[in-house]
Amino acid sequence: MATMVRIEPVTRIEGHAKVSIYLDDAGEVSEARMHVVEFRAFEKFCVGRPFYEMPGITNRICGICPTSHALASVKAGDAIMGVAIPPVAVKLRRIFNWAQYIQSHALSFFHLSAPDLLLGFDHDPATRNVMGLIQHYPDLARKGVRLRGMGQEIIRILADKSIHQAWAVPGGVRQPLNGEKRDAIKAMLPEALETVECALALLKKSFAGFADEVEIYDFPSLFAGLVTPDGGLEHYDGLLRFVASDGTPVEAGIAGERYRDYIEEASEDWSYLKFPFFKPHGPYNRGECAGMYRVGPLARLNVCDFAGTPRADEELAAFRRLGNGRTVTSSFHYHYARLIEILFALEKIAQTLDEEDILDDWVRAEAGVNRLKGIGMVEAPRGTLIHDYSVDRNGIITDVNLIVSTGHNNLAMNRTITNIAKKYVHGDSVKEGMLNRVEHGIRAYDPCLSCSTHAVGRMPLEIRILSPDGRVLKDFLRE
């Protein structure tokens, strides 16, 4: 008898989603779907606003990702103004972005995923959380909290606020850095580096216990992310590169304003989150598409030729040995990739703060509307983020398109949870550890659903098994 298992909501992610697992008549999994049940209307209610208000509006999409949305938005504004912003403003924006990587990746690793990785998927759910981590690994938990705090503090030093800042603006930034602030940031970096090294050692030690997960999370796809003109790891600017599973370039590098030639968005009636795919490999057919691609930390390390800093390059070489020597195709290793990117961010912040012009006070270019369209593309911690604005001659927004990191990964997340469910779900026997494994398949991507579909809410967790005629066979409730 065919049945369906539902997980509602998925826990330890940003936002709200549920999972439906469909079983065939033999009780085996035929498909799993992640339903994003939020809906927000930023793309619609921003129409009619002046473009220069967009950074302040869109950085309120999310309390975790405001820095990323602000930067994508101001880059779209730069394009509308048709200006090249002052060199030091670019450097300060980059530091701003790297600080976001530190805080966001630390949140994902230490608060959301470490309870699974260090305590185990089958650990008591009452303490399989950050509080349980504090009990079992008090020093590491403290370090993780402090690491995220340091990322937030760097953002606050630059912008006077750690969230929903008004510092990055079209044309540059509102205020320069001074010597006191520079020294305060530099003083935090050694402790932050020590924490990342500690986390890397613990994570790598745990790999032997997750061989099944590494295999289940492994599947072929394209990977996409920004690279520098010479192929280096890039988070703020650069060219969008697509590579195949073996690392072969599919598109070596395209300018951001050409993204519509390569990315198309499909939709399904069971999720508010769209399904972007690589258009040249389309078409899309109800979840099946040769153009599926992944973005984010794993993808960025797969598309780049090198990182560009000593420790990050050393760790990147070790990371690639987990795959074919060039790419790593198991989404389980998103966690490892995040720690490497924190290393890179810390090294780049240190290098940039030592540059001669970092205290220069020319941080903003002034201009009006010189173009009727502006596209801003950055690498947010979770992946490639696109803000696409059209304006009239007065700078009033006439159309907005936002493609958020989590959307790019939508097809891959559904593939991952289907693989996990097929491994662990058989019949209507529901075990809590199985549910957590499915949820972790989503956590590996660190999705931000508020960013992707724009809604808020709170739901209880209830798993219900239904017969084909709608009868309730079994309820499972997690308090």
Side-chain angles (χ1 to χ4, degrees), residues 285-307:
N285 181 25
R286 297 196 60 80
E288 295 298 324
C289 181
M292 177 176 64
Y293 62 93
R294 285 176 269 183
V295 300
L298 180 75
R300 286 188 290 259
L301 296 189
N302 282 336
V303 302
C304 73
D305 298 323
F306 58 91

Side-chain angles (χ1 to χ4, degrees), residues 81-102:
M81 293 163 58
V83 297
I85 72 173
V88 71
V90 175
K91 294 177 183 181
L92 293 175
R93 284 185 183 180
R94 286 183 178 275
I95 294 173
F96 194 53
N97 198 31
W98 287 320
Q100 168 73 354
Y101 273 69
I102 296 167

